[in-house]
Amino acid sequence: MTGTDTHGAIDAVWRIEAPRLIAGLTRIVRDVGLAEDLAQDALVAALEQWPESGVPDNPGAWLMATAKHRAIDRLRRNERLERKQEELGREIAAQQERAMADLNIPSADDVDDDLLRLIFVSCHPVLAPEARVALTLRLLASLTTEEIARAFLVPVSTIAQRIVRAKRTLTEARVPFEVPSGEDLDARLASVLQVIYLVFNEGYAATAGDDLMRAGLCEDALRLGRILAGLAPNEPEVHGLVALMEIQASRSRARVGPSGEIVLLLDQDRGRWDPLLIHRGLAAL
Amino acid sequence: MKFLLYTTGDNTQPSAPPTPQMIEEVGKFTEETRRAGILLATGGLAPTTTRVRNAGGKLTVTDGPFTETKELTGGFALVEVKTREEAIEWAKRFRKIVGDGDSLVQEVFE
């Protein structure tokens, strides 16, 4: 395998594994920003080592093990720096204990729980809607800051700032890493669904002349929606949103005429609607 | 981007029938792709095929081949992913489970 092939493979592994990786790390370090840094550290290690050693058999587990070792290093370093602050020290010891306990391979259910928690944190109402959107695309759809900026037609620095501020806000607000329950759940779930639908609409509003990255937002939103439906199968609102997106997406081909003009629903050639997506949409209902 | 991932039967090398363990692992893998939000459709493919050919306006229909292929197992998956590399990565994961043989990855245009 050549270096370029390996980089392509690493990129693909990253897209598949990053959300679960960041979710698992957030549970250990209790901070989304730090978790993403650790995950990025693991990615850098992969970029350094895999072109030589080849992609490991279980790349997800490799990335997680590497990131966890970095996490423990950091916790130890913090402990040395802050040894005299006894209270903090105790907190770190507790964190370290948790980190050690978490070195055991988590079950598939644990991973799912972490992913769902991460979605709720990333779409937390303490963040402005555009911050939720940027952070969610970054953490859960594995888009780069550049890709998000291109898709939303804003400067890269704007998105970068949005993401940095969002992470800081989550840390400062001490947003717990949990799935909300009781009365909270409805409002928080509405916030998650809003984020996914905002992403979808941004992609759906893209016209034929636009960057493909923009239209790709529809696929990103659908993927997030399908993941959420798998994680929270008992929430009818989630299936409702997935159905809506699948059915709207089934018409994407028919919406644009030969010269790039928008074709309104009643004038669309129904034969160009995607029957598979219609079927998937109805099934989600 | 949508991709069609499918196995091709190598008619000269019939594979052993899948073990219960492999069937279980493939099931788990399919569930994983579903939960990853990428799987649009999937199914098994029977070993026998019928070929419909147009050669200079003359249509011919050929059944088969039937020999030695009965134990071949095949399947397809239509996935929606961000890049070709991602489709390839999923194909690799599938191939690791089912063992020797070929999987093809082909982009589906809208």
Side-chain angles (χ1 to χ4, degrees):
Chain A
M1 204 183 251
T2 68
T4 339
D5 283 351
T6 314
H7 280 174
I10 295 172
D11 183 63
V13 167
W14 179 253
R15 281 194 198 278
I16 296 168
E17 303 293 343
R20 284 184 287 188
L21 188 62
I22 295 167
L25 290 165
T26 306
R27 174 168 42 77
I28 300 169
V29 299
R30 303 276 149 178
D31 182 286
V32 168
L34 177 57
E36 204 207 357
D37 287 350
L38 292 164
Q40 291 283 349
D41 283 356
L43 174 65
V44 170
L47 285 166
E48 285 167 1
Q49 294 176 34
W50 293 1
E52 285 291 319
S53 64
V55 178
D57 248 8
N58 188 340
W62 189 100
L63 288 169
M64 188 52 120
T66 306
K68 278 178 178 171
H69 283 122
R70 302 281 160 115
I72 291 166
D73 285 349
R74 283 196 194 214
L75 291 171
R76 288 204 179 119
R77 208 180 314 140
N78 289 348
E79 191 182 31
R80 271 203 302 280
L81 286 171
E82 291 157 0
R83 190 171 290 155
K84 289 186 179 134
Q85 302 176 4
E86 204 183 322
E87 201 177 325
L88 266 178
R90 267 204 300 273
E91 167 68 11
I92 287 162
Q95 277 185 2
Q96 205 165 345
E97 221 163 88
R98 273 205 301 265
M100 288 300 196
D102 285 325
L103 276 179
N104 306 325
I105 295 176
S107 74
D109 281 350
D110 293 340
V111 173
D112 281 356
D113 291 349
D114 288 344
L115 201 54
L116 190 55
R117 289 184 192 116
L118 184 63
I119 294 175
F120 275 109
V121 168
S122 177
C123 298
H124 198 283
V126 77
L127 304 172
E130 64 269 21
R132 289 176 221 164
V133 164
L135 191 63
T136 301
L137 285 175
R138 168 86 190 215
L139 298 180
L140 290 147
S142 305
L143 262 58
T144 64
T145 306
E146 291 74 18
E147 287 171 335
I148 300 168
R150 253 170 64 195
F152 282 87
L153 308 170
V154 294
V156 174
S157 57
T158 307
I159 296 294
Q161 270 176 14
R162 239 175 240 178
I163 291 172
V164 168
R165 274 201 223 114
K167 287 182 199 162
R168 200 185 303 143
T169 304
L170 289 174
T171 308
E172 281 165 4
R174 294 176 174 271
V175 167
F177 188 60
E178 63 185 20
V179 173
S181 56
E183 285 177 12
D184 246 12
L185 179 64
D186 285 349
R188 295 282 305 277
L189 187 63
S191 177
V192 173
L193 298 178
Q194 185 199 14
V195 167
I196 295 176
Y197 198 55
L198 278 173
V199 173
F200 184 84
N201 263 335
E202 191 68 27
Y204 208 62
T207 56
D210 277 347
D211 195 319
L212 276 177
M213 211 47 231
R214 269 174 74 61
L217 288 175
C218 283
E219 290 178 8
D220 293 319
L222 267 165
R223 186 161 173 173
L224 287 172
R226 290 171 191 144
I227 292 171
L228 187 62
L231 294 172
N234 298 323
E235 294 296 335
E237 298 267 323
V238 178
H239 296 292
L241 178 64
V242 172
L244 177 68
M245 293 192 298
E246 301 267 18
I247 287 171
Q248 273 190 280
S250 75
R251 300 197 295 258
S252 348
R253 267 181 304 194
R255 279 175 80 231
V256 183
S259 44
E261 77 282 9
I262 291 285
V263 181
L264 295 178
L265 184 59
L266 289 175
D267 303 325
Q268 288 174 7
D269 174 0
R270 294 180 172 214
R272 301 191 68 205
W273 292 0
D274 186 335
L276 175 64
L277 291 184
I278 295 172
H279 172 76
R280 289 183 57 90
L282 294 177
L285 287 176
Chain B
M1 299 170 85
K2 291 189 180 73
F3 287 89
L4 185 64
L5 279 49
Y6 58 102
T7 54
T8 58
D10 177 349
N11 296 340
T12 59
Q13 302 253 307
S15 59
T19 62
Q21 193 201 350
M22 190 197 287
I23 292 170
E24 197 193 316
E25 280 183 42
V26 169
K28 264 197 215 155
F29 178 77
T30 306
E31 183 57 22
E32 198 187 323
T33 56
R34 205 184 298 283
R35 298 184 70 95
I38 62 151
L39 186 66
L40 296 181
T42 187
L45 292 174
T48 55
T49 53
T50 303
R51 185 187 298 270
V52 180
R53 167 173 287 165
N54 181 345
K58 187 179 182 306
L59 287 170
T60 50
V61 177
T62 330
D63 276 335
F66 294 108
T67 51
E68 299 213 72
T69 60
K70 288 209 171 95
E71 290 176 325
L72 271 173
T73 45
F76 75 94
L78 182 64
V79 300
E80 191 165 64
V81 292
K82 202 81 192 156
T83 61
R84 168 174 285 272
E85 284 72 25
E86 196 189 338
I88 294 172
E89 177 63 26
W90 286 110
K92 281 189 198 161
R93 291 182 182 197
F94 174 74
R95 261 296 141 203
K96 271 185 201 162
I97 296 171
V98 297
D100 287 355
D102 294 338
S103 286
L104 299 184
V105 177
Q106 221 166 339
E107 186 176 354
V108 178
F109 294 127
E110 296 290 327

